[in-house]
Amino acid sequence: MTAFAGIPDDAFRFYADLEENNNRDWWLKHKPVYDTAVKEPLTALLDELEPRFGPAKLFRPNRDVRFSPDKSPYKTAQGAFAALAEGVGFYVQLSADGLLIGGGCHTSTPAQLARFRAAVDDPASGEALRDIVRNVKEAGFAVEGESLKTVPRGYAKEHPRAELLKHKSLTAGVNVGRPDWLAGPGAVEEVARRWEDLRPLVEWVGKYAAP
């Protein structure tokens, strides 16, 4: 295992340039930069986080363009996911904008939604989630996810946790940009600290709404 030494500036320049040159010829010419500045250091970072958060999977850099009007072949960000359960876990992403750190639940089958809503409706688990979401926001994360415009059928519009009931998926994230610590080994603890802030949310969703 290669020791993590930081994310180099070349990683962010690579994605800034890719946004202007999203084609196969450019990618093949610059793939060595992707390997050394993006893939290798991010893999090393995730390896060091694995004992606390489990193994993480690096997403493929290629886009699935089969059903998209945008036929640009490559993603303009490199994401990775450490899964507690399918679709539930911790997320990190590199792009030209810097580093994004997040977590939560990214999928919502009908069965998951039913369990999620029942848990939000229940006073004990629902209030626990409301406290978790408040703490996550106070820690600087934006709480997001696919959401309905109105409270789902079967629940009162005046429900004390109406805003949470509207969610079809529940995630939280923060873009930390390109702070100085990202270029050195201290980034491991910086990411770990933020993932620990998100652990109560990830574990709540894992308990009540995992597949």
Side-chain angles (χ1 to χ4, degrees), residues 102-119:
C105 180
H106 297 267
T107 60
S108 56
T109 66
Q112 281 177 272
L113 262 181
R115 292 196 300 273
F116 173 79
R117 288 169 179 168

Side-chain angles (χ1 to χ4, degrees), residues 15 21 34-35 49 52 63 76 82 114 142 144 156 168 177 192 196:
Y15 281 111
N21 302 276
Y34 168 79
D35 288 338
L49 290 166
R52 283 177 279 182
R63 294 181 63 249
T76 55
E144 300 170 327
K168 297 181 70 177
E196 288 294 353

Side-chain angles (χ1 to χ4, degrees), residues 21 47 50 54 65-66 68 81 84 102 127 143 159 184 190 198:
N21 302 276
D47 285 345
E50 181 174 344
V65 300
R66 291 173 297 172
S68 173
F81 194 64
L84 179 71
E127 283 302 304
V143 175
H159 195 286
E190 294 288 348
L198 292 173

